[in-house]
Amino acid sequence: MIAGPGLLVAAVGMFWFATLEPDSSYAGHLMPAMFVTALGLGMSFVPMTLGAVSGVSHEDTGVASALLNTAQQIGGALGLAVLSTVSTSVADDKLPEAAGALYRGLAAKDSALVAEAGDALTHGYTMAFAAAAGMFLAALVVTALAVNAGKQRHVEGAAPVHMG
């Protein structure tokens, strides 16, 4: 299964994002990290989808697919909420109300405040990207355990698990 290596590649992409600096370029830093992350996610989503519906009886595949899609939607929303909270909390620890400070600095043409807010926000984003990489690595561990548990069940001669 290539889901595990895909999650590892996605984690590498997220760690790459975690090295952003306020003066990082799009072509030299952001775009390559996006390609690496997208490659990893592409390598993992399809095998995970196939793994989620394999071994499910024909009449239950719709339910299994719906459960998978629901879990993906809830996971995406929950992950975004957690990572946004991490980013905002870390940035605000460095500069209270960092996003507001950026807007105030831009409006007042205060380059020092803009730079300070940019540093704080970048620090917050990089910590959120590092947390996302940690989530991918945790998913890798869960995937490895689930695949090995399935192999163990198969080796012991147990019948595949069916929903219903």
Side-chain angles (χ1 to χ4, degrees), residues 42-131:
M43 289 171 59
S44 60
F45 279 172
V46 173
M48 283 190 196
T49 300
L50 293 174
V53 297
S54 69
V56 176
S57 64
H58 180 68
E59 57 272 2
D60 291 331
T61 55
V63 173
S65 177
L67 182 61
L68 172 68
N69 286 326
T70 301
Q72 287 176 335
Q73 293 297 315
I74 292 171
L78 184 59
L80 180 60
V82 167
L83 295 175
S84 295
T85 301
V86 168
S87 175
T88 301
S89 297
V90 169
D92 286 352
D93 283 347
K94 195 164 184 168
L95 175 67
E97 296 184 24
L102 176 66
Y103 291 121
R104 287 191 305 278
L106 289 170
K109 298 186 180 179
D110 181 349
S111 60
L113 182 57
V114 169
E116 184 180 6
D119 286 341
L121 290 168
T122 301
H123 182 65
Y125 299 144
T126 58
M127 291 299 102
F129 287 133

Side-chain angles (χ1 to χ4, degrees), residues 3 11 17 21 121 130 134 149:
F17 277 125
E21 297 289 331
L121 290 168

Side-chain angles (χ1 to χ4, degrees), residues 25-48:
S25 73
Y26 178 80
H29 201 105
L30 286 171
M31 189 171 57
M34 282 191 276
F35 282 135
V36 170
T37 304
L39 175 66
L41 292 175
M43 289 171 59
S44 60
F45 279 172
V46 173
M48 283 190 196

